[in-house]
Amino acid sequence: MAIRNIVIEGDPILRKHCRPVDKVDDRIRGILEDMLETLHDTGGVGIAAPQVGIMRRMFIAEPEPGEVYYMINPEILEMSGSEEAEEGCLSVPGYAGLVERATYVKIKALDIDGSERILETEGWAARVIQHENDHLDGILYIDKAKDIREIEDEPDAEEGE
Ligand code: NI
C-alpha cells in the first residue's frame, strides 16, 4: 500500500467525468487499498478515485471510523428528504461550507470483491456518499455550498471528503 497525492481544486482532473471500472481486479483493489491508506493519513471520511488522479467510477466512504464502504460503479437508485450540514473536501483544504443533501440514499455498487451490493443510508453516511459520488462527475461540494468559510488549520477538526 502507498499514500497517494491528493489532487487539489483548480486541477482540471477534478472536473472530468470518470469512466466505469471494467473489472474489479487486483489492480483496482490495489488502487482502493492506496486510497484507504491515503484517506486514513488525511483523517478524512471519504475519498474518490479522481482525487488521486484515477479517472474511474469508484470511491470509499468511511462515515464513522472502521465503517468502510467501497463503491465501484455506484448508481444511486433512490434519494429522499433534504437537510443542510457542513462539509469539507480533501481537495479543497482549509474550507468548509453548508450543503443541502438528501437525507436518505439507496445506492447500488460493486464491492471490493466485485459482488453487487445495495446499501440504504441516512444522515451523515448518506451525505458522505452523495459528496463522493459527485466527484465521479466532476462536481465539487463548493459548487453547491453556501456560506463557504475558511477553517482553522486544526488537523483534528477537519472532516475532509
Ligand atoms: Ni471531496
Side-chain angles (χ1 to χ4, degrees):
M1 298 215 292
I3 292 170
R4 301 207 177 199
N5 290 327
I6 302 275
V7 179
I8 299 299
E9 200 264 328
D11 191 318
I13 279 178
L14 293 175
R15 295 306 189 173
K16 292 180 178 170
H17 282 254
C18 296
R19 288 166 295 152
V21 172
D22 298 324
K23 189 168 185 283
V24 183
D25 55 16
D26 286 345
R27 193 185 76 87
I28 290 295
R29 276 187 280 273
I31 293 167
L32 285 164
E33 283 176 11
D34 285 356
M35 285 168 59
L36 185 64
E37 190 173 347
T38 305
L39 180 64
H40 287 164
D41 181 59
T42 59
V45 295
I47 187 169
Q51 292 183 278
V52 293
I54 304 291
M55 307 314 290
R56 294 288 176 174
R57 302 192 75 81
M58 57 185 192
F59 65 79
I60 297 172
E62 190 177 13
E64 301 297 334
E67 187 187 339
V68 177
Y69 300 109
Y70 296 98
M71 299 264 164
I72 301 164
N73 296 342
E75 188 185 330
I76 291 179
L77 302 175
E78 284 178 47
M79 298 166 85
S80 64
S82 172
E83 67 183 8
E84 263 185 5
E86 196 160 75
E87 295 181 16
C89 181
L90 298 177
S91 295
V92 191
Y95 292 88
L98 273 182
V99 186
E100 191 175 329
R101 300 278 188 192
T103 51
Y104 166 85
V105 170
K106 184 176 181 181
I107 189 167
K108 179 173 83 172
L110 301 178
D111 207 341
I112 197 164
D113 63 1
S115 63
E116 190 177 286
R117 302 269 164 80
I118 290 177
L119 180 72
E120 291 183 272
T121 59
E122 288 184 307
W124 178 240
R127 173 171 299 273
V128 175
I129 281 169
Q130 288 168 82
H131 175 118
E132 300 311 328
N133 198 59
D134 275 352
H135 273 296
L136 308 184
D137 293 315
I139 299 165
L140 299 177
Y141 88 91
I142 51 174
D143 305 341
K144 300 179 168 182
K146 57 182 190 187
D147 302 330
I148 296 172
R149 65 181 180 90
E150 222 167 325
I151 53 174
E152 294 195 17
D153 191 19
E154 298 167 44
D156 291 344
E158 287 185 39
E159 287 193 324
E161 291 159 29

